[in-house]
């Protein structure tokens, strides 16, 4: 296991869902509501995705999720549904829906006090990420986030690459913290060290290797 050496890690890039926050308790209801609303308006959807089908997609890029769940629809209509999902999710989070992992506020504050630059590297859309961070009361500690825009940035790996470029850092100076294979993949693509959150949504055997392992969020303080 690699331990942080003074000055080695400069930036901590967090995944969001499964790392700082869990939308698991609200995500299925939100997706079903948005799909049902679209079906009632258009009559184009005859069957809803199952709970397992929806949950298995969480963590992937948004357009990938809806292409897998609703392959019969053209992309503009899938985008329409995903936009409605986004609105419903943000409203739910602001109203207390979903679950923040214990220690979010204290851990982020600790890292900021230690002098780390704090960012996000998430497949989620900007309004979703900012709603999570704002509701948690930690958005002020984060640098302006880079998100997938479907134009210049299409993957989480490209988000990390943009942070490397934007902040003129060596990849080894950015710690990627997450729970899913896409987080690990983004770190390895860029040569960034990876911290594995075992408490998130990852499946057994999903993460091949890691530099740090966290059984709860506050354990980051022991390494950083």
């Amino acid at each position: 296991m690699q331990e942080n050496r003074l000055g080695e890690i400069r930036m901590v890039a967090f995944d969001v869902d499964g790392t700082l926050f869990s939308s698991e308790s609200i995500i299925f209801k939100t997706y079903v509501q948005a799909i049902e609303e679209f079906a009632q308006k258009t009559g184009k959807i005859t069957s809803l995705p199952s709970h397992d089908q929806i949950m298995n997609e969480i963590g992937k890029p948004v357009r990938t999720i809806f292409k897998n769940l609703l392959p019969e629809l053209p992309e503009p209509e899938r985008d329409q549904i995903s936009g409605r999902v986004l609105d419903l999710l943000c409203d739910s989070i602001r109203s207390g829906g979903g679950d923040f992992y214990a220690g979010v506020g204290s851990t982020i504050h600790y890292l900021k006090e230690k002098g780390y630059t704090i960012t996000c590297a998430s497949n989620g859309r900007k309004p979703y990420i900012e709603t999570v961070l704002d509701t948690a009361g930690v958005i002020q500690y984060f640098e302006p986030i880079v998100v997938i825009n479907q134009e210049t940035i299409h993957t989480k790996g490209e988000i990390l690459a943009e942070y490397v470029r934007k902040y003129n850092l060596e990849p080894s100076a950015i710690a990627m913290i997450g729970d899913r294979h896409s987080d690990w993949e983004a770190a390895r693509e860029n040569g960034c060290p990876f911290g594995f959150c075992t408490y998130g949504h990852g499946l057994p055997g999903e993460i091949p290797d890691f530099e740090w392992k966290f059984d709860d969020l506050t354990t980051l303080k022991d390494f950083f």
Side-chain angles (χ1 to χ4, degrees):
M1 293 300 114
Q2 174 183 336
E3 293 188 6
N4 187 29
R5 294 181 291 276
L6 185 63
E8 180 183 0
I9 302 298
R10 302 281 301 282
M11 174 181 285
V12 182
F14 285 98
D15 172 49
V16 175
D17 216 324
T19 301
L20 301 176
F21 175 78
S22 176
S23 62
E24 192 167 1
S25 63
I26 57 175
I27 199 77
F28 179 69
K29 178 181 178 181
T30 300
Y31 272 61
V32 167
Q33 180 177 339
I35 294 170
E36 284 183 335
E37 287 177 0
F38 178 84
Q40 289 169 2
K41 289 178 182 177
T42 66
K44 289 190 174 184
I45 300 173
T46 56
S47 63
L48 292 170
S50 69
H51 180 273
D52 286 347
Q53 284 176 312
I54 290 173
M55 296 310 301
N56 286 341
E57 295 297 319
I58 302 308
K60 298 177 183 178
V62 172
R63 282 187 170 170
T64 300
I65 291 174
F66 284 92
K67 184 176 182 179
N68 291 342
L69 292 177
L70 302 168
E72 72 277 13
L73 294 180
E75 189 169 271
E77 292 184 338
R78 294 198 299 263
D79 287 348
Q80 180 181 338
I81 297 171
S82 72
R84 179 61 175 151
V85 167
L86 178 61
D87 290 341
L88 291 169
L89 270 178
C90 291
D91 287 346
S92 180
I93 293 166
R94 292 188 196 100
S95 300
D99 301 284
F100 288 95
Y101 291 109
V104 170
S106 64
T107 302
I108 298 300
H109 182 264
Y110 169 86
L111 293 172
K112 190 67 176 180
E113 288 292 302
K114 292 281 285 187
Y116 293 102
T117 300
I118 305 173
T119 57
C120 283
S122 168
N123 283 328
R125 287 166 285 187
K126 191 172 184 178
Y128 171 77
I129 297 169
E130 290 184 340
T131 298
V132 169
L133 299 181
D134 186 45
T135 304
V138 297
I139 195 168
Q140 69 272 23
Y141 299 125
F142 283 76
E143 295 296 306
I145 59 175
V146 175
V147 296
I148 293 172
N149 59 20
Q150 305 296 345
E151 296 172 3
T152 57
I153 297 177
H154 304 83
T155 67
K156 196 173 292 188
E158 290 177 355
I159 292 175
L160 285 185
E162 178 63 13
Y163 286 135
V164 169
R165 185 201 65 77
K166 182 178 179 181
Y167 291 89
N168 194 29
L169 292 172
E170 292 294 327
S172 60
I174 301 178
M176 176 69 210
I177 310 298
D179 64 317
R180 300 305 302 266
H181 188 270
S182 62
D183 304 313
W184 173 88
E185 185 177 49
R188 294 299 180 243
E189 282 177 2
N190 287 280
C192 300
F194 177 65
F196 172 36
C197 297
T198 62
Y199 56 82
H201 302 317
L203 303 174
E206 184 172 347
I207 304 300
D209 54 60
F210 49 82
E211 277 64 56
W212 310 281
K213 182 174 72 170
F214 309 115
D215 294 328
D216 58 69
L217 190 58
T218 58
T219 310
L220 268 76
K221 299 176 186 179
D222 297 336
F223 294 92
F224 294 91

